[in-house]
């Protein structure tokens, strides 16, 4: 059984994540970053550019596949609408499965990345660098408040859906 708990999770602010996305060519996500959107039927009204939608209802059988397909990513960010339950649960499930499949793997997952602290995050380092697993602070709700109408960062945004909040 894993000793990882919710208190071991690391959070990234929307501003820090946006800086990393904007560091890549337009319309692409940096190749070393994966953003996993675990919203279910509330996955409407927009999403973070380049994110992958894996409904939380499918995580039981998709997590081992995620661990394998994301193994070469330096940064993996999970989020749901508010990042209070599904996003953190998905990140924790991912970390536990990663540890189960590869006990020798190295993963960083504790703390909060604030604006300006993300400098150099997600850049390839030397061998043995730990994959960084984050939860997006405030989820897509906070993201869309700040970046919903920014087409460089958000795809498929529908303002009328978010106009009165989540």
């Amino acid at each position: 059984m894993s000793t990882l708990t919710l208190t071991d999770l690391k959070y990234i602010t929307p501003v820090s994540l946006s800086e990393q996305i904007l560091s890549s060519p337009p319309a692409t996500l940096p190749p070393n970053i994966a953003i996993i959107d675990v919203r279910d039927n509330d996955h409407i009204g927009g999403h973070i550019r380049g994110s992958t939608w894996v409904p939380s209802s499918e995580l039981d059988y998709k997590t081992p596949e995620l661990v394998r397909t994301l193994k070469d990513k330096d940064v993996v960010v999970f989020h749901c609408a508010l990042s209070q339950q599904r996003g953190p649960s998905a990140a924790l499930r991912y970390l536990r499965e990663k540890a189960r499949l590869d006990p020798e793997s190295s993963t960083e997952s504790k703390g909060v990345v604030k604006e300006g602290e993300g400098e150099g995050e997600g850049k390839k380092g030397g061998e043995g660098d730990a994959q960084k697993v984050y939860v997006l602070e405030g989820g897509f709700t906070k993201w869309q408040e700040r970046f919903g109408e920014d087409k460089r960062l958000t795809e498929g945004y529908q303002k009328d859906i978010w106009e009165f909040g989540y």
Side-chain angles (χ1 to χ4, degrees):
M1 185 167 147
S2 175
T3 59
L4 292 168
T5 67
L6 290 172
T7 60
D8 293 315
L9 295 178
K10 190 172 190 174
Y11 287 77
I12 188 168
T13 65
V15 170
S16 291
L17 181 58
S18 72
E19 290 169 354
Q20 291 184 42
I21 293 171
L22 291 173
S23 72
S24 68
T28 63
L29 195 60
N32 56 334
I33 296 176
I35 301 170
I36 310 300
D37 184 339
V38 297
R39 292 178 290 165
D40 293 306
N41 61 355
D42 53 342
H43 185 261
I44 57 171
H47 57 273
I48 298 172
R49 177 172 53 98
S51 65
T52 301
W53 182 37
V54 180
S56 67
S57 59
E58 298 178 7
L59 282 171
D60 279 345
Y61 65 91
K62 293 253 182 166
T63 302
E65 177 186 340
L66 280 174
V67 171
R68 286 189 299 277
T69 59
L70 302 177
K71 70 179 191 285
D72 295 328
K73 300 292 183 181
D74 295 328
V75 175
V76 180
V77 179
F78 288 88
H79 78 87
C80 58
L82 299 170
S83 286
Q84 291 180 350
Q85 290 187 339
R86 293 171 293 177
S89 294
L92 187 59
R93 184 177 297 185
Y94 176 85
L95 287 166
R96 287 175 174 168
E97 184 68 9
K98 186 171 174 58
R100 185 187 74 79
L101 291 174
D102 185 8
E104 303 299 315
S105 72
S106 176
T107 309
E108 288 182 20
S109 61
K110 195 164 188 170
V112 178
V113 177
K114 298 288 186 188
E115 288 81 2
E117 289 182 0
E119 302 302 319
E121 290 288 335
K123 290 187 170 69
K124 273 283 187 205
E127 286 203 30
D129 281 356
Q131 183 181 66
K132 293 166 182 63
V133 177
Y134 299 112
V135 176
L136 178 62
E137 193 175 84
F140 188 76
T141 301
K142 188 154 237 66
W143 177 271
Q144 66 81 28
E145 287 173 2
R146 184 142 189 183
F147 304 113
E149 295 186 37
D150 188 337
K151 293 184 185 311
R152 300 170 305 159
L153 296 168
T154 307
E155 296 175 320
Y157 185 68
Q158 297 175 14
K159 183 178 181 177
D160 59 323
I161 290 177
W162 296 97
E163 196 167 26
F164 301 108
Y166 179 71

